Amino acid sequence: MLSPRSAPSRDPQPARSDAPTRGPGSVRRWMRSPARLITAGTAMILTAGTAALMMPFTRIGEHAPPLVDALFTAASALCVTGLITVDTATYWSPAGQLVIMVLIQIGGLGVMTLSTLLAVLTVRRIGVRTRAAIAQSSAGTLQDAPAIIGRILAISFAVEAVIAAVLVVRYLLDGMSAGTALFRGAFLAVSAFNNAGFALDSDSLIGENSDPFILAPVMVAVVLGGIGFPVIVEMLRRFRTPRRWSLTTKLTLTGTAVLLGAGTVLTLALESSNSATLGSMSWGDRLWNAVFHSVVSRTAGFNAIDTSAMRPESWLGTDVLMMIGGGSGGTAGGMKVTTVMVLLLIIRSELRGDPFVVAFGKRLSRAVHREVITVVGLMGALVAVSTFVVMVLESIPFDRVLFEVTSALSTTGLSTGITADLSPVSKILLVGLMIIGRVGPITLGTALALRRRPLLFEPPKERPTIG
């Protein structure tokens, strides 16, 4: 005989009445998944961008662009990558170039907005102490979504406007018409701040590699877009008290400075004797272009020297810079500076036998260790598998394929010149890598932070032999 307390359990209807399988309720439940929202939104915008680029008026010529070229260009622009199968300057009309610029802006703002707003979702699922630390790293605005979006838009448009103004003045001094200078300046500013790497010249910025008034604004925009919105906000609010900066800001700025310096030294050392790149330049231009290459390798994709003519050793060094990428919450891709910095700190602690990992006086949780290892492992596996597949499909040397695959996954856009010659299957593979590289780290990072499976019991420990 059932007790009064257990009797209601026989009627399942109350439990189901507030959870319909169809209608608005199911849609709301489906929309609660960040991964689904990001994937669906990316797919819709990519479809619209591809359709827009398929219009005959977007191409210079009489015929509409082929589907694979329109899809590849739209994906590269939306994922702020910069890899191209057709020349942006000579293939696309001004209308097509405008579509590309809009996709770049949507992609860049979308990444900064999503990565920052998803932190709000993460904050709701973690402890009070960690919540306070995250709020501090994002200038204390994580609970106010409209304010976050407003600041992102304001900072983005302000930086782009300033960079565009400098470039427009430079183009006007070169004798360009006002309309052409305005469009070129705006396009390059948007592309640079969003780390997209698209340019309106067939040789990217090679023709302007001795002009610091072009290279310097582009580098400033790339760095600001790449370090991330939370870092920019915290630097603006607490520029007089760097000791109070969050761990994310300290790791990002430290890693960025080290990588920029290392990339510059590496490029100078390897390419100064290469007459096809830096060897034919004066020492002043060599330094400028070495710094520029180091900056854009993480992960902007412009090139002021011929990347296809670089030494294989330089390609490998650039591969490393591209895979590391920029800061979290920014427009750059890659594994992120903070991820690699934490990985190095973990390795250092293990080698020293420390009981825990310390960064700038703060102890890192074990959960962060696992997240870092997961991100690095997955990114490395994707590069290895994709490189193998492309090498099977194409008769192209390993170093060039590795460079192209790394560039696509890290959303960098630098190329050794093989993208246009790839088969349609390989191009589609690169499209998939660009999409994964753009939305994958955001969704993966959020999923790792939100998914915590509680254990009903603690299994016994056993230490396997390592090494």
Side-chain angles (χ1 to χ4, degrees):
M1 182 175 181
L2 294 174
S3 64
R5 179 176 297 179
S6 61
S9 63
R10 300 182 60 184
D11 184 10
Q13 295 303 319
R16 296 181 180 179
S17 61
D18 60 344
T21 58
R22 296 180 181 180
S26 60
V27 174
R28 286 194 296 268
R29 287 198 305 275
W30 188 90
M31 290 177 63
R32 290 173 185 170
S33 170
R36 292 173 181 172
L37 275 176
I38 295 172
T39 303
T42 301
M44 288 189 294
I45 298 173
L46 178 59
T47 301
T50 303
L53 289 178
M54 285 288 292
M55 297 293 102
F57 59 82
T58 61
R59 177 185 176 182
I60 298 176
E62 299 179 355
H63 304 289
L67 175 61
V68 65
D69 291 326
L71 173 63
F72 195 98
T73 303
S76 184
L78 182 62
C79 299
V80 292
T81 304
L83 284 175
I84 56 175
T85 57
V86 293
D87 185 10
T88 307
T90 60
Y91 189 88
W92 301 108
S93 67
Q97 294 168 355
L98 181 61
V99 171
I100 292 172
M101 184 171 70
V102 171
L103 288 173
I104 292 172
Q105 189 71 277
I106 293 174
L109 290 176
V111 167
M112 289 191 293
T113 303
L114 285 172
S115 58
T116 305
L117 290 181
L118 284 176
V120 178
L121 181 62
T122 304
V123 165
R124 295 175 183 172
R125 300 282 298 274
I126 59 180
V128 175
R129 183 177 301 177
T130 307
R131 184 181 307 175
I134 293 179
Q136 180 187 17
S137 68
S138 295
T141 60
L142 285 174
Q143 300 301 325
D144 190 356
I148 294 173
I149 297 176
R151 290 194 177 190
I152 291 175
L153 294 177
I155 291 176
S156 300
F157 291 145
V159 173
E160 290 173 355
V162 172
I163 299 299
V166 175
L167 294 172
V168 168
V169 171
R170 184 69 186 91
Y171 290 141
L172 289 175
L173 294 176
D174 280 344
M176 287 187 185
S177 64
T180 302
L182 181 61
F183 183 76
R184 287 178 65 89
F187 187 98
L188 188 55
V190 170
S191 183
F193 180 73
N194 292 287
N195 280 221
F198 280 88
L200 294 180
D201 290 317
S202 300
D203 60 355
S204 190
L205 299 179
I206 293 178
E208 298 159 323
N209 60 15
S210 61
D211 190 345
F213 294 99
I214 297 294
L215 299 186
V218 170
M219 285 192 290
V220 170
V222 167
V223 172
L224 290 178
I227 61 176
F229 167 75
V231 174
I232 294 176
V233 171
E234 188 167 24
M235 290 176 64
L236 290 176
R237 293 190 61 183
R238 298 175 176 172
F239 67 95
R240 294 182 178 178
T241 56
R243 292 185 178 181
R244 297 180 58 192
W245 287 350
S246 67
L247 184 58
T248 297
T249 298
K250 292 178 180 178
L251 288 174
T252 300
L253 295 180
T254 302
T256 298
V258 171
L259 291 171
L260 290 181
T264 301
V265 172
L266 180 69
T267 305
L268 274 176
L270 296 177
E271 296 298 324
S272 289
S273 59
N274 186 355
S275 60
T277 54
L278 298 182
S280 59
M281 299 180 181
S282 65
W283 274 104
D285 287 343
R286 289 183 191 181
L287 179 60
W288 264 110
N289 284 274
V291 174
F292 186 84
H293 181 75
S294 180
V295 169
V296 299
S297 295
R298 310 179 37 252
T299 53
F302 297 102
N303 60 292
I305 57 177
D306 187 359
T307 310
S308 63
M310 296 177 70
R311 300 183 187 279
E313 301 89 342
S314 299
W315 287 341
L316 182 59
T318 304
D319 288 339
V320 175
L321 293 176
M322 291 191 296
M323 278 300 295
I324 295 174
S328 302
T331 56
M335 295 184 296
K336 305 303 183 184
V337 175
T338 50
T339 301
V340 176
M341 289 289 289
V342 170
L343 178 63
L344 294 176
L345 291 171
I346 293 174
I347 295 174
R348 186 192 68 172
S349 296
E350 288 298 321
L351 293 177
R352 295 172 53 178
D354 295 337
F356 40 74
V357 180
V358 177
F360 293 100
K362 301 292 183 65
R363 180 168 60 90
L364 302 181
S365 69
R366 294 287 182 181
V368 174
H369 303 185
R370 297 193 297 268
E371 292 169 13
V372 166
I373 294 172
T374 301
V375 171
V376 174
L378 289 177
M379 293 286 279
L382 277 172
V383 169
V385 173
S386 301
T387 301
F388 175 79
V389 172
V390 174
M391 289 188 67
V392 171
L393 296 174
E394 316 288 341
S395 299
I396 300 175
F398 166 75
D399 49 6
R400 291 180 179 269
V401 174
L402 177 63
F403 192 97
E404 220 75 9
V405 166
T406 304
S407 181
L409 183 61
S410 63
T411 68
T412 301
L414 291 174
S415 175
T416 60
I418 66 172
T419 306
D421 299 327
L422 295 176
S423 64
V425 176
S426 295
K427 291 178 181 178
I428 297 300
L429 175 61
L430 292 186
V431 168
L433 289 175
M434 288 188 288
I435 296 174
I436 293 173
R438 186 72 284 173
V439 304
I442 302 174
T443 55
L444 177 61
T446 305
L448 291 175
L450 293 180
R451 294 189 63 184
R452 291 287 181 268
R453 292 174 52 188
L455 291 176
L456 300 179
F457 65 94
E458 184 175 345
K461 293 182 179 180
E462 183 176 351
R463 181 181 179 88
T465 302
I466 303 297

